[in-house]
Amino acid sequence: MNAAAHVLIVEDEDHLAQGLKFNLEAEGYRASIARDGETALEITSAPDAGIDVILLDVMLPGCDGFSVVEQLRERDDRTPVLMLTARGRSEDVLRGFAAGADDYLPKPFDLSILLARLHGLLRRWAWQKREPGAAMPAEAEASFTFAGRTIDYDNLELRVNGRSIRLTVMEADLLRYLVRHQGRSISRKELLEQVWRMREDTDTRAIDNFIVRLRRYIEIDPANPVFLRTVRGIGYRFDPQSKSAPATEDLHP
Ligand code: CA
């Protein structure tokens, strides 16, 4: 299914960009290169851009990778973004996730790991876009509704009292995992392993940025969450039927 998937490589180091393009094309992908953030934003804004996934280096001349992904999300572009960060800079991972990146890989990386990560993002994205031949995961639910909120996994959309919020693929995947394991305390490590498939030493605070965003979407008061609570010393717990939720808030005429 990845035969025609189009990867945009945003990297200013020419030898690295060309090497990635060569290897991705050898794997059957289409690949384009943008040498700076401004060019990447220009390419992706074209109506017929057709970019399926963005491989985004953090260190770029001018507009850096964080700013690129932030601007993409601001204009409601949900294209999956895999950030390439410098090894040992966990703050970059936290910043990248906060800006709206879906996944990251520290440089230097093994090509096989890059391909596996790309494949994971594309599988989710292709399913959402319903490309012909895209396999629908057998266990997948179409949506989940709780307390007047509907998570529409198919359309990467969250509807809260008539308001529609667009989700990234990883936000939707994280919500799906929380829904499946509702009522149970889940550690940050478990979320990173099960949702992001990360095995290496990742700063588990990386997950917190996603939780903050999800709370902004689903909670009435994100600072005092009732659905997605922090479990001290462990992680998080999702209680869709929370009794603490004000009953009147979701009353519809
Ligand atoms: Ca660079």
Side-chain angles (χ1 to χ4, degrees):
M1 102 209 172
N2 286 335
H6 191 175
V7 186
L8 177 63
I9 303 160
V10 190
E11 169 62 86
D12 58 311
E13 288 162 71
D14 199 48
H15 69 284
L16 197 53
Q18 294 294 347
L20 280 169
K21 186 173 192 287
F22 176 85
N23 282 300
L24 289 171
E25 285 174 350
E27 293 292 326
Y29 291 97
R30 282 178 63 204
S32 302
I33 297 173
R35 288 188 171 75
D36 55 58
E38 288 80 0
T39 308
L41 287 165
E42 199 181 305
I43 289 173
T44 48
S45 68
D48 57 347
I51 303 295
D52 296 293
V53 65
I54 301 169
L55 205 52
L56 179 63
D57 190 35
V58 167
M59 301 285 278
L60 294 166
C63 172
D64 68 14
F66 303 119
S67 174
V68 171
V69 70
E70 239 166 43
Q71 289 182 58
L72 281 173
R73 299 315 185 216
E74 267 167 28
R75 68 185 191 207
D76 217 17
D77 185 330
R78 304 279 124 179
T79 307
V81 171
L82 176 61
M83 285 201 104
L84 302 177
T85 63
R87 191 170 291 276
R89 282 184 58 87
S90 62
E91 63 268 33
D92 282 2
V93 177
L94 304 183
R95 258 187 92 186
F97 276 172
D102 295 288
D103 203 351
Y104 80 97
L105 201 57
K107 285 165 125 180
F109 47 80
D110 284 342
L111 184 66
S112 59
I113 294 178
L114 173 75
L115 291 172
R117 290 289 175 75
L118 275 182
H119 183 79
L121 281 174
L122 281 164
R123 182 175 47 81
R124 297 162 163 122
W125 189 239
W127 171 47
Q128 187 271 325
K129 282 168 68 186
R130 292 284 165 68
E131 280 174 359
M136 173 103 61
E139 78 282 13
E141 319 81 356
S143 67
F144 179 76
T145 299
F146 69 102
R149 294 136 173 87
T150 296
I151 307 163
D152 183 340
Y153 301 116
D154 274 10
N155 295 306
L156 295 182
E157 193 184 15
L158 182 68
R159 290 186 291 275
V160 181
N161 293 333
R163 190 168 60 110
S164 168
I165 299 157
R166 303 259 286 142
L167 300 169
T168 68
V169 285
M170 294 312 292
E171 286 168 352
D173 267 21
L174 178 54
L175 277 169
R176 189 196 307 275
Y177 194 84
L178 291 167
V179 166
R180 281 186 187 162
H181 300 273
Q182 54 185 269
R184 174 166 79 75
S185 298
I186 305 172
S187 70
R188 291 173 177 82
K189 188 165 179 284
E190 176 180 338
L191 291 173
L192 281 170
E193 287 183 357
Q194 298 301 317
V195 181
W196 276 266
R197 304 280 169 202
M198 285 174 185
R199 288 277 183 270
E200 64 265 46
D201 280 341
T202 301
D203 189 332
T204 54
R205 284 176 304 160
I207 208 75
D208 298 353
N209 291 302
F210 276 84
I211 298 290
V212 166
R213 279 213 298 279
L214 295 186
R215 280 180 178 153
R216 256 187 247 136
Y217 301 159
I218 64 171
E219 301 286 353
I220 300 148
D221 176 7
N224 294 292
V226 296
F227 299 114
L228 187 44
R229 291 176 196 266
T230 300
V231 183
R232 278 185 68 183
I234 300 177
Y236 298 102
R237 203 172 90 174
F238 179 56
D239 286 307
Q241 318 303 338
S242 175
K243 294 284 182 290
S244 319
T248 53
E249 188 255 346
D250 298 307
L251 286 181
H252 292 280

